[in-house]
PDB file of all heavy atoms in Angstrom:
ATOM      1  N   LEU J   1       0.831  -1.209   0.000  1.00  0.00           N
ATOM      2  CA  LEU J   1       0.000   0.000   0.000  1.00  0.00           C
ATOM      3  C   LEU J   1       0.866   1.260   0.000  1.00  0.00           C
ATOM      4  O   LEU J   1       0.601   2.210  -0.750  1.00  0.00           O
ATOM      5  CB  LEU J   1      -0.942  -0.011   1.211  1.00  0.00           C
ATOM      6  CG  LEU J   1      -1.957   1.136   1.290  1.00  0.00           C
ATOM      7  CD1 LEU J   1      -2.872   1.128   0.077  1.00  0.00           C
ATOM      8  CD2 LEU J   1      -2.775   1.031   2.569  1.00  0.00           C
ATOM      9  N   ALA J   2       1.919   1.261   0.800  1.00  0.00           N
ATOM     10  CA  ALA J   2       2.796   2.434   0.890  1.00  0.00           C
ATOM     11  C   ALA J   2       3.534   2.686  -0.423  1.00  0.00           C
ATOM     12  O   ALA J   2       3.579   3.822  -0.919  1.00  0.00           O
ATOM     13  CB  ALA J   2       3.798   2.242   2.027  1.00  0.00           C
ATOM     14  N   LEU J   3       4.097   1.619  -0.999  1.00  0.00           N
ATOM     15  CA  LEU J   3       4.852   1.790  -2.253  1.00  0.00           C
ATOM     16  C   LEU J   3       3.923   2.085  -3.430  1.00  0.00           C
ATOM     17  O   LEU J   3       4.270   2.857  -4.333  1.00  0.00           O
ATOM     18  CB  LEU J   3       5.694   0.550  -2.540  1.00  0.00           C
ATOM     19  CG  LEU J   3       6.872   0.326  -1.581  1.00  0.00           C
ATOM     20  CD1 LEU J   3       7.558  -0.999  -1.885  1.00  0.00           C
ATOM     21  CD2 LEU J   3       7.887   1.473  -1.666  1.00  0.00           C
ATOM     22  N   TYR J   4       2.731   1.490  -3.417  1.00  0.00           N
ATOM     23  CA  TYR J   4       1.764   1.761  -4.480  1.00  0.00           C
ATOM     24  C   TYR J   4       1.290   3.218  -4.405  1.00  0.00           C
ATOM     25  O   TYR J   4       1.112   3.883  -5.434  1.00  0.00           O
ATOM     26  CB  TYR J   4       0.585   0.792  -4.376  1.00  0.00           C
ATOM     27  CG  TYR J   4      -0.419   0.918  -5.494  1.00  0.00           C
ATOM     28  CD1 TYR J   4      -0.018   0.916  -6.835  1.00  0.00           C
ATOM     29  CD2 TYR J   4      -1.785   1.020  -5.228  1.00  0.00           C
ATOM     30  CE1 TYR J   4      -0.933   1.023  -7.861  1.00  0.00           C
ATOM     31  CE2 TYR J   4      -2.710   1.131  -6.248  1.00  0.00           C
ATOM     32  CZ  TYR J   4      -2.281   1.132  -7.567  1.00  0.00           C
ATOM     33  OH  TYR J   4      -3.201   1.246  -8.582  1.00  0.00           O
ATOM     34  N   ALA J   5       1.137   3.722  -3.172  1.00  0.00           N
ATOM     35  CA  ALA J   5       0.765   5.134  -2.991  1.00  0.00           C
ATOM     36  C   ALA J   5       1.872   6.032  -3.541  1.00  0.00           C
ATOM     37  O   ALA J   5       1.608   7.066  -4.166  1.00  0.00           O
ATOM     38  CB  ALA J   5       0.516   5.428  -1.520  1.00  0.00           C
ATOM     39  N   LYS J   6       3.130   5.629  -3.318  1.00  0.00           N
ATOM     40  CA  LYS J   6       4.265   6.394  -3.842  1.00  0.00           C
ATOM     41  C   LYS J   6       4.233   6.395  -5.376  1.00  0.00           C
ATOM     42  O   LYS J   6       4.447   7.429  -6.024  1.00  0.00           O
ATOM     43  CB  LYS J   6       5.561   5.741  -3.348  1.00  0.00           C
ATOM     44  CG  LYS J   6       6.733   6.683  -3.233  1.00  0.00           C
ATOM     45  CD  LYS J   6       6.597   7.564  -2.006  1.00  0.00           C
ATOM     46  CE  LYS J   6       7.773   8.506  -1.859  1.00  0.00           C
ATOM     47  NZ  LYS J   6       7.453   9.660  -1.020  1.00  0.00           N
ATOM     48  N   PHE J   7       3.961   5.226  -5.933  1.00  0.00           N
ATOM     49  CA  PHE J   7       3.856   5.075  -7.387  1.00  0.00           C
ATOM     50  C   PHE J   7       2.741   5.975  -7.942  1.00  0.00           C
ATOM     51  O   PHE J   7       2.931   6.703  -8.927  1.00  0.00           O
ATOM     52  CB  PHE J   7       3.566   3.604  -7.710  1.00  0.00           C
ATOM     53  CG  PHE J   7       3.351   3.292  -9.162  1.00  0.00           C
ATOM     54  CD1 PHE J   7       4.416   2.965  -9.984  1.00  0.00           C
ATOM     55  CD2 PHE J   7       2.069   3.293  -9.712  1.00  0.00           C
ATOM     56  CE1 PHE J   7       4.216   2.666 -11.334  1.00  0.00           C
ATOM     57  CE2 PHE J   7       1.863   3.004 -11.050  1.00  0.00           C
ATOM     58  CZ  PHE J   7       2.938   2.687 -11.859  1.00  0.00           C
ATOM     59  N   MET J   8       1.567   5.958  -7.280  1.00  0.00           N
ATOM     60  CA  MET J   8       0.424   6.759  -7.733  1.00  0.00           C
ATOM     61  C   MET J   8       0.683   8.251  -7.555  1.00  0.00           C
ATOM     62  O   MET J   8       0.214   9.073  -8.341  1.00  0.00           O
ATOM     63  CB  MET J   8      -0.839   6.340  -6.989  1.00  0.00           C
ATOM     64  CG  MET J   8      -1.347   4.950  -7.346  1.00  0.00           C
ATOM     65  SD  MET J   8      -1.689   4.748  -9.111  1.00  0.00           S
ATOM     66  CE  MET J   8      -3.070   5.865  -9.303  1.00  0.00           C
ATOM     67  N   SER J   9       1.437   8.591  -6.529  1.00  0.00           N
ATOM     68  CA  SER J   9       1.815   9.993  -6.322  1.00  0.00           C
ATOM     69  C   SER J   9       2.631  10.495  -7.512  1.00  0.00           C
ATOM     70  O   SER J   9       2.421  11.614  -8.011  1.00  0.00           O
ATOM     71  CB  SER J   9       2.628  10.122  -5.029  1.00  0.00           C
ATOM     72  OG  SER J   9       3.267  11.374  -4.957  1.00  0.00           O
ATOM     73  N   GLY J  10       3.557   9.648  -7.975  1.00  0.00           N
ATOM     74  CA  GLY J  10       4.362  10.000  -9.142  1.00  0.00           C
ATOM     75  C   GLY J  10       3.516  10.139 -10.400  1.00  0.00           C
ATOM     76  O   GLY J  10       3.728  11.054 -11.208  1.00  0.00           O
ATOM     77  N   GLU J  11       2.518   9.244 -10.565  1.00  0.00           N
ATOM     78  CA  GLU J  11       1.632   9.326 -11.731  1.00  0.00           C
ATOM     79  C   GLU J  11       0.797  10.605 -11.689  1.00  0.00           C
ATOM     80  O   GLU J  11       0.616  11.279 -12.712  1.00  0.00           O
ATOM     81  CB  GLU J  11       0.700   8.102 -11.764  1.00  0.00           C
ATOM     82  CG  GLU J  11       1.383   6.799 -12.116  1.00  0.00           C
ATOM     83  CD  GLU J  11       1.890   6.778 -13.545  1.00  0.00           C
ATOM     84  OE1 GLU J  11       1.083   6.845 -14.476  1.00  0.00           O
ATOM     85  OE2 GLU J  11       3.129   6.710 -13.727  1.00  0.00           O
ATOM     86  N   LYS J  12       0.313  10.936 -10.488  1.00  0.00           N
ATOM     87  CA  LYS J  12      -0.500  12.150 -10.334  1.00  0.00           C
ATOM     88  C   LYS J  12       0.331  13.394 -10.672  1.00  0.00           C
ATOM     89  O   LYS J  12      -0.112  14.294 -11.390  1.00  0.00           O
ATOM     90  CB  LYS J  12      -1.034  12.222  -8.899  1.00  0.00           C
ATOM     91  CG  LYS J  12      -1.928  13.426  -8.619  1.00  0.00           C
ATOM     92  CD  LYS J  12      -2.344  13.445  -7.156  1.00  0.00           C
ATOM     93  CE  LYS J  12      -3.129  14.698  -6.816  1.00  0.00           C
ATOM     94  NZ  LYS J  12      -3.401  14.812  -5.377  1.00  0.00           N
ATOM     95  N   ARG J  13       1.571  13.430 -10.154  1.00  0.00           N
ATOM     96  CA  ARG J  13       2.434  14.590 -10.405  1.00  0.00           C
ATOM     97  C   ARG J  13       2.825  14.662 -11.886  1.00  0.00           C
ATOM     98  O   ARG J  13       2.941  15.747 -12.455  1.00  0.00           O
ATOM     99  CB  ARG J  13       3.674  14.513  -9.523  1.00  0.00           C
ATOM    100  CG  ARG J  13       4.391  15.847  -9.368  1.00  0.00           C
ATOM    101  CD  ARG J  13       5.225  15.904  -8.111  1.00  0.00           C
ATOM    102  NE  ARG J  13       4.397  16.051  -6.918  1.00  0.00           N
ATOM    103  CZ  ARG J  13       4.359  15.166  -5.908  1.00  0.00           C
ATOM    104  NH1 ARG J  13       5.097  14.085  -5.958  1.00  0.00           N
ATOM    105  NH2 ARG J  13       3.585  15.368  -4.872  1.00  0.00           N
ATOM    106  N   LYS J  14       3.002  13.514 -12.502  1.00  0.00           N
ATOM    107  CA  LYS J  14       3.333  13.485 -13.930  1.00  0.00           C
ATOM    108  C   LYS J  14       2.206  14.128 -14.747  1.00  0.00           C
ATOM    109  O   LYS J  14       2.451  14.922 -15.657  1.00  0.00           O
ATOM    110  CB  LYS J  14       3.541  12.035 -14.388  1.00  0.00           C
ATOM    111  CG  LYS J  14       3.950  11.899 -15.845  1.00  0.00           C
ATOM    112  CD  LYS J  14       4.172  10.460 -16.246  1.00  0.00           C
ATOM    113  CE  LYS J  14       2.874   9.801 -16.623  1.00  0.00           C
ATOM    114  NZ  LYS J  14       3.060   8.478 -17.260  1.00  0.00           N
ATOM    115  N   ASN J  15       0.953  13.803 -14.388  1.00  0.00           N
ATOM    116  CA  ASN J  15      -0.192  14.395 -15.089  1.00  0.00           C
ATOM    117  C   ASN J  15      -0.284  15.897 -14.846  1.00  0.00           C
ATOM    118  O   ASN J  15      -0.641  16.662 -15.749  1.00  0.00           O
ATOM    119  CB  ASN J  15      -1.497  13.715 -14.650  1.00  0.00           C
ATOM    120  CG  ASN J  15      -1.605  12.295 -15.165  1.00  0.00           C
ATOM    121  OD1 ASN J  15      -1.004  11.953 -16.179  1.00  0.00           O
ATOM    122  ND2 ASN J  15      -2.353  11.459 -14.463  1.00  0.00           N
ATOM    123  N   GLU J  16       0.036  16.296 -13.625  1.00  0.00           N
ATOM    124  CA  GLU J  16      -0.030  17.729 -13.295  1.00  0.00           C
ATOM    125  C   GLU J  16       1.044  18.522 -14.050  1.00  0.00           C
ATOM    126  O   GLU J  16       0.811  19.659 -14.461  1.00  0.00           O
ATOM    127  CB  GLU J  16       0.146  17.928 -11.791  1.00  0.00           C
ATOM    128  CG  GLU J  16      -1.050  17.442 -10.976  1.00  0.00           C
ATOM    129  CD  GLU J  16      -0.762  17.381  -9.474  1.00  0.00           C
ATOM    130  OE1 GLU J  16       0.400  17.605  -9.080  1.00  0.00           O
ATOM    131  OE2 GLU J  16      -1.699  17.098  -8.714  1.00  0.00           O
ATOM    132  N   GLU J  17       2.204  17.904 -14.230  1.00  0.00           N
ATOM    133  CA  GLU J  17       3.310  18.602 -14.895  1.00  0.00           C
ATOM    134  C   GLU J  17       3.202  18.575 -16.417  1.00  0.00           C
ATOM    135  O   GLU J  17       3.873  19.346 -17.106  1.00  0.00           O
ATOM    136  CB  GLU J  17       4.650  17.983 -14.472  1.00  0.00           C
ATOM    137  CG  GLU J  17       5.003  18.259 -13.018  1.00  0.00           C
ATOM    138  CD  GLU J  17       6.241  17.499 -12.566  1.00  0.00           C
ATOM    139  OE1 GLU J  17       6.842  16.796 -13.413  1.00  0.00           O
ATOM    140  OE2 GLU J  17       6.601  17.605 -11.378  1.00  0.00           O
ATOM    141  N   SER J  18       2.356  17.673 -16.938  1.00  0.00           N
ATOM    142  CA  SER J  18       2.184  17.601 -18.387  1.00  0.00           C
ATOM    143  C   SER J  18       1.477  18.860 -18.874  1.00  0.00           C
ATOM    144  O   SER J  18       0.567  19.373 -18.232  1.00  0.00           O
ATOM    145  CB  SER J  18       1.355  16.365 -18.770  1.00  0.00           C
ATOM    146  OG  SER J  18       2.029  15.191 -18.406  1.00  0.00           O
ATOM    147  N   GLU J  19       1.901  19.345 -20.022  1.00  0.00           N
ATOM    148  CA  GLU J  19       1.295  20.545 -20.600  1.00  0.00           C
ATOM    149  C   GLU J  19      -0.085  20.209 -21.169  1.00  0.00           C
ATOM    150  O   GLU J  19      -0.502  19.055 -21.204  1.00  0.00           O
ATOM    151  CB  GLU J  19       2.199  21.089 -21.707  1.00  0.00           C
ATOM    152  CG  GLU J  19       3.540  21.592 -21.213  1.00  0.00           C
ATOM    153  CD  GLU J  19       3.426  22.900 -20.443  1.00  0.00           C
ATOM    154  OE1 GLU J  19       2.493  23.665 -20.728  1.00  0.00           O
ATOM    155  OE2 GLU J  19       4.269  23.139 -19.561  1.00  0.00           O
ATOM    156  N   MET J  20      -0.789  21.235 -21.624  1.00  0.00           N
ATOM    157  CA  MET J  20      -2.087  21.045 -22.255  1.00  0.00           C
ATOM    158  C   MET J  20      -1.964  20.037 -23.400  1.00  0.00           C
ATOM    159  O   MET J  20      -0.978  20.054 -24.149  1.00  0.00           O
ATOM    160  CB  MET J  20      -2.577  22.388 -22.799  1.00  0.00           C
ATOM    161  CG  MET J  20      -3.941  22.320 -23.459  1.00  0.00           C
ATOM    162  SD  MET J  20      -4.423  23.917 -24.148  1.00  0.00           S
ATOM    163  CE  MET J  20      -3.364  23.977 -25.585  1.00  0.00           C
ATOM    164  N   VAL J  21      -2.954  19.137 -23.515  1.00  0.00           N
ATOM    165  CA  VAL J  21      -2.922  18.096 -24.545  1.00  0.00           C
ATOM    166  C   VAL J  21      -2.731  18.723 -25.923  1.00  0.00           C
ATOM    167  O   VAL J  21      -3.469  19.628 -26.317  1.00  0.00           O
ATOM    168  CB  VAL J  21      -4.227  17.265 -24.522  1.00  0.00           C
ATOM    169  CG1 VAL J  21      -4.256  16.283 -25.694  1.00  0.00           C
ATOM    170  CG2 VAL J  21      -4.356  16.516 -23.211  1.00  0.00           C
ATOM    171  N   MET J  22      -1.694  18.255 -26.644  1.00  0.00           N
ATOM    172  CA  MET J  22      -1.346  18.729 -27.986  1.00  0.00           C
ATOM    173  C   MET J  22      -0.968  20.211 -28.004  1.00  0.00           C
ATOM    174  O   MET J  22      -1.001  20.859 -29.042  1.00  0.00           O
ATOM    175  CB  MET J  22      -2.505  18.484 -28.962  1.00  0.00           C
ATOM    176  CG  MET J  22      -2.786  17.019 -29.210  1.00  0.00           C
ATOM    177  SD  MET J  22      -1.529  16.200 -30.216  1.00  0.00           S
ATOM    178  CE  MET J  22      -1.942  16.839 -31.813  1.00  0.00           C
ATOM    179  N   GLY J  23      -0.622  20.747 -26.823  1.00  0.00           N
ATOM    180  CA  GLY J  23      -0.154  22.127 -26.759  1.00  0.00           C
ATOM    181  C   GLY J  23       1.283  22.220 -27.261  1.00  0.00           C
ATOM    182  O   GLY J  23       1.927  21.194 -27.517  1.00  0.00           O
ATOM    183  N   PRO J  24       1.831  23.427 -27.371  1.00  0.00           N
ATOM    184  CA  PRO J  24       3.186  23.578 -27.929  1.00  0.00           C
ATOM    185  C   PRO J  24       4.263  22.890 -27.110  1.00  0.00           C
ATOM    186  O   PRO J  24       5.304  22.500 -27.640  1.00  0.00           O
ATOM    187  CB  PRO J  24       3.392  25.104 -27.955  1.00  0.00           C
ATOM    188  CG  PRO J  24       2.358  25.668 -27.029  1.00  0.00           C
ATOM    189  CD  PRO J  24       1.215  24.725 -27.054  1.00  0.00           C
ATOM    190  N   GLN J  25       4.054  22.737 -25.781  1.00  0.00           N
ATOM    191  CA  GLN J  25       5.066  22.108 -24.920  1.00  0.00           C
ATOM    192  C   GLN J  25       4.755  20.647 -24.610  1.00  0.00           C
ATOM    193  O   GLN J  25       5.472  20.005 -23.853  1.00  0.00           O
ATOM    194  CB  GLN J  25       5.190  22.890 -23.596  1.00  0.00           C
ATOM    195  CG  GLN J  25       5.560  24.357 -23.762  1.00  0.00           C
ATOM    196  CD  GLN J  25       6.881  24.529 -24.474  1.00  0.00           C
ATOM    197  OE1 GLN J  25       7.845  23.818 -24.189  1.00  0.00           O
ATOM    198  NE2 GLN J  25       6.937  25.462 -25.414  1.00  0.00           N
ATOM    199  N   ASP J  26       3.638  20.121 -25.156  1.00  0.00           N
ATOM    200  CA  ASP J  26       3.242  18.743 -24.849  1.00  0.00           C
ATOM    201  C   ASP J  26       4.015  17.784 -25.740  1.00  0.00           C
ATOM    202  O   ASP J  26       3.611  17.479 -26.864  1.00  0.00           O
ATOM    203  CB  ASP J  26       1.736  18.567 -25.068  1.00  0.00           C
ATOM    204  CG  ASP J  26       1.277  17.143 -24.776  1.00  0.00           C
ATOM    205  OD1 ASP J  26       1.972  16.453 -24.009  1.00  0.00           O
ATOM    206  OD2 ASP J  26       0.236  16.728 -25.313  1.00  0.00           O
ATOM    207  N   LEU J  27       5.135  17.317 -25.219  1.00  0.00           N
ATOM    208  CA  LEU J  27       5.998  16.413 -25.987  1.00  0.00           C
ATOM    209  C   LEU J  27       5.833  14.955 -25.568  1.00  0.00           C
ATOM    210  O   LEU J  27       6.463  14.063 -26.124  1.00  0.00           O
ATOM    211  CB  LEU J  27       7.470  16.832 -25.816  1.00  0.00           C
ATOM    212  CG  LEU J  27       7.776  18.293 -26.153  1.00  0.00           C
ATOM    213  CD1 LEU J  27       9.224  18.614 -25.828  1.00  0.00           C
ATOM    214  CD2 LEU J  27       7.478  18.584 -27.618  1.00  0.00           C
ATOM    215  N   GLY J  28       5.007  14.709 -24.537  1.00  0.00           N
ATOM    216  CA  GLY J  28       4.804  13.342 -24.063  1.00  0.00           C
ATOM    217  C   GLY J  28       6.026  12.742 -23.417  1.00  0.00           C
ATOM    218  O   GLY J  28       6.201  11.522 -23.402  1.00  0.00           O
ATOM    219  N   THR J  29       6.912  13.591 -22.874  1.00  0.00           N
ATOM    220  CA  THR J  29       8.188  13.097 -22.327  1.00  0.00           C
ATOM    221  C   THR J  29       8.252  13.168 -20.803  1.00  0.00           C
ATOM    222  O   THR J  29       9.274  12.816 -20.227  1.00  0.00           O
ATOM    223  CB  THR J  29       9.356  13.912 -22.907  1.00  0.00           C
ATOM    224  OG1 THR J  29       9.107  15.306 -22.670  1.00  0.00           O
ATOM    225  CG2 THR J  29       9.485  13.687 -24.404  1.00  0.00           C
ATOM    226  N   VAL J  30       7.189  13.647 -20.143  1.00  0.00           N
ATOM    227  CA  VAL J  30       7.205  13.742 -18.673  1.00  0.00           C
ATOM    228  C   VAL J  30       7.159  12.329 -18.096  1.00  0.00           C
ATOM    229  O   VAL J  30       6.393  11.483 -18.560  1.00  0.00           O
ATOM    230  CB  VAL J  30       6.009  14.572 -18.158  1.00  0.00           C
ATOM    231  CG1 VAL J  30       6.081  14.746 -16.647  1.00  0.00           C
ATOM    232  CG2 VAL J  30       5.969  15.933 -18.844  1.00  0.00           C
ATOM    233  N   VAL J  31       7.994  12.062 -17.090  1.00  0.00           N
ATOM    234  CA  VAL J  31       8.068  10.713 -16.516  1.00  0.00           C
ATOM    235  C   VAL J  31       7.652  10.727 -15.049  1.00  0.00           C
ATOM    236  O   VAL J  31       7.626  11.771 -14.394  1.00  0.00           O
ATOM    237  CB  VAL J  31       9.497  10.126 -16.637  1.00  0.00           C
ATOM    238  CG1 VAL J  31       9.873   9.953 -18.084  1.00  0.00           C
ATOM    239  CG2 VAL J  31      10.512  11.011 -15.922  1.00  0.00           C
ATOM    240  N   ASN J  32       7.338   9.551 -14.537  1.00  0.00           N
ATOM    241  CA  ASN J  32       7.013   9.362 -13.124  1.00  0.00           C
ATOM    242  C   ASN J  32       8.326   9.323 -12.334  1.00  0.00           C
ATOM    243  O   ASN J  32       9.099   8.374 -12.442  1.00  0.00           O
ATOM    244  CB  ASN J  32       6.232   8.049 -12.979  1.00  0.00           C
ATOM    245  CG  ASN J  32       5.813   7.773 -11.544  1.00  0.00           C
ATOM    246  OD1 ASN J  32       6.356   8.346 -10.589  1.00  0.00           O
ATOM    247  ND2 ASN J  32       4.861   6.878 -11.383  1.00  0.00           N
ATOM    248  N   LYS J  33       8.556  10.363 -11.537  1.00  0.00           N
ATOM    249  CA  LYS J  33       9.837  10.477 -10.827  1.00  0.00           C
ATOM    250  C   LYS J  33       9.930   9.577  -9.606  1.00  0.00           C
ATOM    251  O   LYS J  33      10.987   9.478  -8.990  1.00  0.00           O
ATOM    252  CB  LYS J  33      10.057  11.938 -10.421  1.00  0.00           C
ATOM    253  CG  LYS J  33      10.279  12.847 -11.632  1.00  0.00           C
ATOM    254  CD  LYS J  33      10.316  14.307 -11.252  1.00  0.00           C
ATOM    255  CE  LYS J  33      10.464  15.175 -12.502  1.00  0.00           C
ATOM    256  NZ  LYS J  33      10.246  16.597 -12.246  1.00  0.00           N
ATOM    257  N   GLN J  34       8.828   8.932  -9.248  1.00  0.00           N
ATOM    258  CA  GLN J  34       8.863   8.022  -8.092  1.00  0.00           C
ATOM    259  C   GLN J  34       9.249   6.595  -8.485  1.00  0.00           C
ATOM    260  O   GLN J  34       9.423   5.748  -7.622  1.00  0.00           O
ATOM    261  CB  GLN J  34       7.493   8.000  -7.394  1.00  0.00           C
ATOM    262  CG  GLN J  34       7.054   9.339  -6.808  1.00  0.00           C
ATOM    263  CD  GLN J  34       7.980   9.816  -5.698  1.00  0.00           C
ATOM    264  OE1 GLN J  34       8.737   9.034  -5.124  1.00  0.00           O
ATOM    265  NE2 GLN J  34       7.932  11.112  -5.395  1.00  0.00           N
ATOM    266  N   LEU J  35       9.360   6.329  -9.788  1.00  0.00           N
ATOM    267  CA  LEU J  35       9.715   4.966 -10.221  1.00  0.00           C
ATOM    268  C   LEU J  35      11.057   4.537  -9.646  1.00  0.00           C
ATOM    269  O   LEU J  35      11.232   3.384  -9.236  1.00  0.00           O
ATOM    270  CB  LEU J  35       9.772   4.886 -11.752  1.00  0.00           C
ATOM    271  CG  LEU J  35       8.451   5.042 -12.506  1.00  0.00           C
ATOM    272  CD1 LEU J  35       8.700   4.962 -14.006  1.00  0.00           C
ATOM    273  CD2 LEU J  35       7.450   3.982 -12.087  1.00  0.00           C
ATOM    274  N   LEU J  36      12.011   5.467  -9.591  1.00  0.00           N
ATOM    275  CA  LEU J  36      13.345   5.146  -9.083  1.00  0.00           C
ATOM    276  C   LEU J  36      13.278   4.697  -7.630  1.00  0.00           C
ATOM    277  O   LEU J  36      13.844   3.664  -7.250  1.00  0.00           O
ATOM    278  CB  LEU J  36      14.256   6.365  -9.226  1.00  0.00           C
ATOM    279  CG  LEU J  36      15.699   6.186  -8.769  1.00  0.00           C
ATOM    280  CD1 LEU J  36      16.415   5.168  -9.638  1.00  0.00           C
ATOM    281  CD2 LEU J  36      16.434   7.524  -8.792  1.00  0.00           C
ATOM    282  N   VAL J  37      12.554   5.455  -6.809  1.00  0.00           N
ATOM    283  CA  VAL J  37      12.451   5.140  -5.375  1.00  0.00           C
ATOM    284  C   VAL J  37      11.754   3.805  -5.162  1.00  0.00           C
ATOM    285  O   VAL J  37      12.247   2.923  -4.442  1.00  0.00           O
ATOM    286  CB  VAL J  37      11.684   6.265  -4.637  1.00  0.00           C
ATOM    287  CG1 VAL J  37      11.443   5.887  -3.180  1.00  0.00           C
ATOM    288  CG2 VAL J  37      12.434   7.585  -4.733  1.00  0.00           C
ATOM    289  N   VAL J  38      10.582   3.632  -5.794  1.00  0.00           N
ATOM    290  CA  VAL J  38       9.803   2.399  -5.614  1.00  0.00           C
ATOM    291  C   VAL J  38      10.600   1.202  -6.138  1.00  0.00           C
ATOM    292  O   VAL J  38      10.675   0.151  -5.476  1.00  0.00           O
ATOM    293  CB  VAL J  38       8.443   2.509  -6.338  1.00  0.00           C
ATOM    294  CG1 VAL J  38       7.662   1.199  -6.217  1.00  0.00           C
ATOM    295  CG2 VAL J  38       7.618   3.667  -5.774  1.00  0.00           C
TER     296      VAL J  38
END
């Protein structure tokens, strides 16, 4: 539960940091930064 929450936290932050869909900065390159820790 703890590690899965960490994983989901990274997914949530990845979505928040992603630019507007098909916007000029939306390159689809934002990654989940919690993958390394988990």
Side-chain angles (χ1 to χ4, degrees):
L1 185 60
L3 291 175
Y4 185 50
K6 207 76 179 159
F7 177 89
M8 291 303 293
S9 166
E11 289 293 296
K12 182 183 175 187
R13 199 157 286 119
K14 183 179 84 169
N15 290 335
E16 290 168 354
E17 291 173 2
S18 297
E19 295 288 332
M20 181 183 74
V21 174
M22 294 288 285
Q25 302 301 317
D26 179 24
L27 306 175
T29 54
V30 184
V31 296
N32 181 342
K33 292 173 183 169
Q34 297 296 341
L35 292 179
L36 181 65
V37 174
V38 177

